[in-house]
Amino acid sequence: MRLKLCSKQGDIRRNGSGHLWWPFLFLGLMNVPLQSVALPSPEVSLDFYSRTISEALPISEFAGKWKQAPGRGENSWTRNRLDTGVWLGDWGLSYTVRYDYQLTYNRATADLYYRDEQDLTPPEGAVPVYLNALQLLADGIRLKRRWNLDSGLFFQADVSLLKAREFQDGTIDGLLSSDEQFFAGNASLDYRYSEDLLLAHDFEKPEGEGLTLDLVAGYQNNQRKMFVRVEDAYSLIRWERAPYTYGKFDTADRDVEDEVQLAPVFSGWRELEDHEFTMPVYATGRYVEQMSGYQLSLDVEYFADTVRYRPGIRWGNLPGNPYVGVDGEEGQWLFALSDDSARVKFQLGFDNPSLDKSHSLTVAVAWSAQL
């Protein structure tokens, strides 16, 4: 059994096949009581956001055959959101889709995987193996409420009721050693899933549902604006009769020279039981200072125990209101264009213009219009 089978979760073609994206739904609020005052005009909106980070390898290589030795870093993740719906005053209702995937590993595991892919001699001595995977595909309805106070403070809360479609939630943790003939050691497996990517477990696909809460708080006046957004400030995803595999891989004979085989001997058990898990918190913040003809900004991002900073500048006196920012840690450049009312926005970010070499990629599109 090869440890590398876990990497199939990151194969976009594999995860994308067989799933139909629902048509965009523009949902209206019903049963609004008639008033003598005019109701606010409805506003339809469409937002798409995708951000992917692969620390050890370029994104294009991570899900395929590793052609180069992994570098520093122990996280690879992607967050993808599609949200379309309607605002009526300070209330909003939308259809939302999300795909999340996070893989955490140690450098020894990444090096072992690379050596296997390239048929290289395995490392000497004991190798600590650690791999944790968390994946979720879900869609549902999002209810939004915003508050704008006279003092300049503003708040927003979004509650999403989700139908969970797919998930992976598992950890392999252990120790392997080798000589010229075989690998030996042990590794424990604690694994729950909607599709077994390790041991080909046959079962009836479970049903899942969940709830998440996103929060925004900030302040603005004519000179500056600042806010903090916390996604998945609260989350609970529940699966009914989800398959569960727990056990240990023991010694591993290697019949083919220089090929890693993680023990064909597996001792443990499989069950079907209810399972609950939470999604990791993702937080961003922004500070904007208005200057004469341009804006200076500082963006902060927190995820996977890492804080990233991105200073930037936006020229409001140029066509398209162009924005340029750069992440100092990973060197990702972010470019953006928008109209004067910020109803149409486009963002593209990467750390290398050659996508085959890029470790980070950000794409965002936003559109809104009053009816």
Side-chain angles (χ1 to χ4, degrees):
M1 168 121 357
R2 299 192 180 186
L3 180 62
K4 66 180 182 181
L5 289 178
C6 289
S7 69
K8 289 183 180 177
Q9 299 172 66
D11 190 332
I12 297 175
R13 293 169 296 181
R14 176 183 177 92
N15 286 321
S17 62
H19 299 287
L20 298 178
W21 291 83
W22 289 12
F24 297 157
L25 301 178
F26 296 105
L27 302 174
L29 295 179
M30 302 178 63
N31 300 322
V32 180
L34 297 177
Q35 303 289 341
S36 59
V37 297
L39 292 174
S41 300
E43 178 181 317
V44 293
S45 64
L46 170 66
D47 291 277
F48 171 76
Y49 178 79
S50 175
R51 178 150 167 78
T52 303
I53 298 291
S54 177
E55 295 179 349
L57 285 171
I59 297 170
S60 60
E61 282 197 28
F62 190 84
K65 188 173 180 64
W66 293 15
K67 298 179 181 179
Q68 59 181 284
R72 65 181 182 86
E74 299 180 343
N75 273 283
S76 295
W77 54 270
T78 183
R79 295 176 58 85
N80 304 271
R81 302 288 186 273
L82 173 66
D83 192 87
T84 181
V86 62
W87 282 93
L88 186 60
D90 292 328
W91 289 90
L93 190 63
S94 64
Y95 168 71
T96 186
V97 181
R98 63 181 292 169
Y99 176 75
D100 300 80
Y101 169 67
Q102 182 181 7
L103 192 66
T104 305
Y105 43 86
N106 59 18
R107 297 187 66 178
T109 303
D111 179 66
L112 189 65
Y113 181 93
Y114 165 72
R115 289 171 182 265
D116 180 39
E117 287 287 287
Q118 297 299 319
D119 297 326
L120 300 176
T121 302
E124 297 181 357
V127 178
V129 176
Y130 177 78
L131 186 67
N132 176 262
L134 181 64
Q135 177 235 349
L136 175 67
L137 173 64
D139 63 338
I141 299 299
R142 174 178 289 181
L143 177 64
K144 311 173 188 179
R145 177 69 163 95
R146 59 191 176 192
W147 298 265
N148 292 286
L149 307 182
D150 293 339
S151 62
L153 294 173
F154 59 90
F155 305 92
Q156 183 172 324
D158 301 346
V159 176
S160 299
L161 302 177
L162 300 173
K163 178 69 174 180
R165 306 294 179 179
E166 294 181 359
F167 87 103
Q168 300 283 322
D169 184 11
T171 301
I172 294 178
D173 190 6
L175 192 67
L176 293 178
S177 60
S178 65
D179 59 22
E180 295 180 357
Q181 299 298 324
F182 62 89
F183 272 86
N186 62 80
S188 62
L189 174 66
D190 188 351
Y191 183 34
R192 303 171 191 267
Y193 42 85
S194 59
E195 178 186 0
D196 188 350
L197 301 179
L198 278 176
L199 301 174
H201 182 191
D202 292 328
F203 54 88
E204 184 177 350
K205 190 171 182 179
E207 295 184 353
E209 59 185 16
L211 181 146
T212 65
L213 172 65
D214 301 338
L215 298 173
V216 179
Y219 169 82
Q220 65 178 347
N221 57 27
N222 293 332
Q223 185 65 29
R224 61 187 56 88
K225 179 179 180 179
M226 62 190 77
F227 70 86
V228 175
R229 179 177 184 86
V230 181
E231 298 182 8
D232 295 326
Y234 173 83
S235 65
L236 180 63
I237 312 298
R238 178 183 293 109
W239 293 84
E240 293 184 0
R241 295 182 58 77
Y244 170 45
T245 297
Y246 177 82
K248 288 184 177 294
F249 296 97
D250 296 317
T251 59
D253 293 328
R254 190 179 63 213
D255 298 326
V256 181
E257 185 178 359
D258 296 335
E259 183 175 345
V260 176
Q261 294 188 356
L262 185 58
V265 179
F266 175 78
S267 59
W269 63 86
R270 288 169 168 165
E271 296 179 358
L272 294 177
E273 64 180 19
D274 295 348
H275 178 51
E276 295 181 352
F277 66 89
T278 61
M279 300 302 296
V281 171
Y282 177 82
T284 58
R286 163 168 273 209
Y287 178 85
V288 178
E289 188 75 18
Q290 181 67 48
M291 311 298 285
S292 179
Y294 62 95
Q295 295 177 346
L296 296 177
S297 62
L298 176 64
D299 288 272
V300 181
E301 175 190 59
Y302 170 79
F303 188 68
D305 296 326
T306 301
V307 179
R308 293 179 171 87
Y309 303 89
R310 187 182 69 241
I313 182 171
R314 177 178 179 266
W315 292 272
N317 56 352
L318 296 179
N321 302 288
Y323 164 89
V324 177
V326 60
D327 184 320
E329 179 177 341
E330 62 190 26
Q332 172 176 288
W333 290 86
L334 185 69
F335 304 94
L337 295 173
S338 66
D339 65 349
D340 291 340
S341 61
R343 290 187 174 273
V344 179
K345 298 184 242 183
F346 173 76
Q347 289 185 345
L348 176 63
F350 47 79
D351 64 319
N352 194 307
S354 173
L355 296 183
D356 289 340
K357 300 178 181 179
S358 181
H359 289 254
S360 62
L361 179 64
T362 301
V363 180
V365 178
W367 169 84
S368 64
Q370 285 190 334
L371 297 180

